[in-house]
Amino acid sequence: MILLLVSRSLAASWTVDPSGSGDFTSIQDAIDASSDGDTISVADGTYTEALDFDGKDVAIASVNGSATTFLASSAPVAVTFENGESSAASFTGFTIQTSALGMSIDGADPTITDVVFDTLGSTSAAGGGATVDDGSPTFTSCTWSGTLGNYGGGLYITSSDVTVTDSTFDDTGATYGGSIYVDEGELTIDSTTFTLTASTYGGGAIYATDDTTLTLTDVDFTDTHSQYGHGAAIVATNGSVIDWVGGSADDTDSLYSTSGYSGAVYLYDESELDASDVSFSNIDGYYGGAIYALSDYTITLDACSFEDNTSVYGAAVSATTSGTLTIRDSTFQNNTASYYGGGLYVYEDFDVTITGSTFDENTATYGYGGAMELALEGSVTLDGNTFTDNTAYYGGGAVYATQLNDSVVVTDSTFSDNESTWSGGAAIYAYYYTDVASSGNTYEDNTSAYYGGAIELYYAAEGTFEADTFEGNT
């Protein structure tokens, strides 16, 4: 107790005021005079200096917040934490302007609150707002606006554990990762929005690579874009993981989708997406309007919604070349693919399980599988789903499956009012060594132009049917 009282008695409070009425007119002079545990209160004004905490765990806070307190430094870095500062080192209530880089954090864990990173950085350097290496900082109620970088327009993170809460990224841009680029780290983002962010080659908002773990809670991406790359909102590659609960991606487009680029989320090379209660809407891509996965992917979708997305292959989800796709209690409505899989397109060596989900008014305009196309060496289980008013120009108004060398197992599902405009199998079309095992399903009022008002089995495809109901199919 005596030691605690002595420690507290040594802590000092300093004031900084440009008018000269405080202890100092310079914030850095106050830092130089301070010791661990001290507080520095900064009056309104514009301070034309760079700050270095110099290893001191001091708390610097403006009196009236970032709207009236400005750090306008011409130095290469405006604020530096590079000497092992802990979370007790805090910086609160400033707008940082004019510097090439707003903040450098290296081997430190500072607490950053109510800081605006305003029009900082350039496309020739990483992380226009802040760079973090081997640190664990927290950013709360911060704003990145108009910041630029080659890797990460707002934040460039390497080998670090970073938390961002209640913050905003607006009009940020980079070559990779329009707002954030994170390499071999952990990034937790909560209650944060990304708006009008853009990248040239991938990750319109976030680019995560090299076994990064990205944890998102109530995070929204609106009008984010990638110009010549995949992932208009997020790229996760090289074994990275996205765990996303609550939030949305809306109007997050690949601007050159006609050249083969994907929509909102791109997974590559053993990367994973686990999304729950997330909505994807009004997204345009070439492969996967909302989600595109390639090469040893794992996707789990719980209570997610996909609406009004467009693509050439799989307007909601396109997944190719080895992986697992699990969908539970989700909704796919009014998604449109030019050719294959109005809702889903899954290709080559896969395991697909879909339960309790609804596919309504999805369209394959000139191709197969109004709700989904499943092709080449895969296992498919569909249980307790509803397929209504889906349309394909050719086969499979709802489901088209081909060359699986396995069975499509369908149980306790309803197929109604689906249409194959120019071919057969309005509910299910199975082709070429693809079997159908149907049990306890209802097929009603489905319409085909030619064969199989409900189901067509063609060329080495077989079916078994148990306790199914067929009514009004033409």
Side-chain angles (χ1 to χ4, degrees), residues 164-240:
V164 178
T165 304
D166 292 324
S167 295
T168 299
F169 292 82
D170 180 56
D171 197 26
T172 62
T175 307
Y176 297 92
S179 295
I180 302 173
Y181 186 97
V182 54
D183 183 1
E184 199 176 0
E186 296 186 16
L187 174 60
T188 300
I189 306 177
D190 190 354
S191 303
T192 293
T193 61
F194 295 80
T195 306
L196 291 171
T197 66
S199 68
T200 306
Y201 293 117
I206 302 172
Y207 196 112
T209 189
D210 291 339
D211 300 306
T212 287
T213 298
L214 179 61
T215 303
L216 310 178
T217 305
D218 295 329
V219 176
D220 296 308
F221 301 87
T222 304
D223 205 18
T224 62
H225 302 288
S226 177
Q227 189 169 12
Y228 300 110
H230 299 302
I234 306 172
V235 166
T237 185
N238 294 20
S240 294

Side-chain angles (χ1 to χ4, degrees), residues 1-34:
M1 178 65 73
I2 293 173
L3 290 175
L4 179 62
L5 291 173
V6 170
S7 176
R8 285 179 176 174
S9 69
L10 294 176
S13 297
W14 307 94
T15 59
V16 179
D17 194 316
S19 70
S21 63
D23 298 315
F24 303 94
T25 58
S26 161
I27 303 171
Q28 187 61 53
D29 287 347
I31 295 173
D32 293 341
S34 68

Side-chain angles (χ1 to χ4, degrees), residues 309-328:
N309 303 294
T310 58
S311 71
V312 177
Y313 298 87
V317 179
S318 179
T320 66
T321 318
S322 302
T324 300
L325 172 62
T326 303
I327 301 173
R328 295 184 285 260

